[in-house]
């Protein structure tokens, strides 16, 4: 039972937006979470030698610094929205273990005007 409970608590992650994160009284330091927001394109810093990625995740007036050690997603600069999974460090930076890109609508099939299929 202990192994079951401990493995469940390790894999349980809170999902929230950047605004919801900052609406909390205190940041949940060292707790697993998923944060949804928009990448600030000018903030992306990739260090190929160290395989480190840093960027800012924003929503409205709130923003969160993100650090990721690993290969950067190919379409990160084109991503309008991302979900970052990880833990907030003591310095307030989100140390990511995963970066999930939310694909923009350009990948969806567009309906043409006047062309209605039944």
């Amino acid at each position: 039972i202990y192994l079951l409970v401990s493995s469940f608590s390790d894999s349980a992650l809170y999902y929230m937006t950047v605004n919801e994160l900052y609406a909390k009284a205190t940041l949940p330091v060292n707790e697993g979470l998923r944060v949804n927001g928009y990448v600030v394109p000018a903030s992306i810093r990739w260090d190929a030698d160290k395989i480190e990625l840093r960027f800012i995740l924003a929503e409205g007036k709130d923003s969160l610094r993100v650090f990721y050690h690993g290969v950067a997603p190919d379409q990160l600069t084109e991503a309008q929205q991302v979900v970052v999974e990880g833990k907030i460090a003591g310095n307030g930076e989100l140390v990511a273990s995963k970066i999930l890109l939310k694909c923009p609508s350009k990948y969806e099939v567009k309906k043409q005007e006047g062309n209605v299929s039944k």
Side-chain angles (χ1 to χ4, degrees):
I1 293 175
Y2 171 76
L3 292 175
L4 180 63
V5 170
S6 65
S7 67
F8 177 73
S9 63
D10 287 345
S11 65
L13 298 174
Y14 295 105
Y15 179 86
M16 61 188 70
T17 65
V18 175
N19 286 346
E20 291 170 341
L21 178 66
Y22 281 101
K24 292 179 153 287
T26 59
L27 290 178
V29 176
N30 292 324
E31 290 182 27
L33 54 95
R34 287 185 183 121
V35 181
N36 180 15
Y38 296 88
V39 175
V40 177
S43 71
I44 298 172
R45 302 286 179 258
W46 169 245
D47 185 336
D49 294 331
K50 295 180 181 178
I51 313 173
E52 292 179 349
L53 174 66
R54 293 180 187 273
F55 61 91
I56 295 175
L57 193 63
E59 182 185 23
K61 63 178 179 62
D62 295 320
S63 63
L64 177 65
R65 291 178 297 127
V66 177
F67 169 79
Y68 178 68
H69 182 77
V71 178
D74 290 337
Q75 298 177 342
L76 182 66
T77 56
E78 297 173 14
Q80 295 178 358
Q81 220 177 352
V82 297
V83 175
V84 179
E85 189 176 296
K87 295 181 179 182
I88 299 205
N91 63 0
E93 184 174 61
L94 178 61
V95 178
S97 57
K98 281 186 188 174
I99 300 173
L100 307 167
L101 302 180
K102 287 195 160 193
C103 294
S105 60
K106 72 179 183 180
Y107 295 110
E108 295 175 3
V109 176
K110 293 183 180 181
K111 294 181 182 177
Q112 295 178 358
E113 289 183 30
N115 186 7
V116 178
S117 58
K118 294 183 181 182

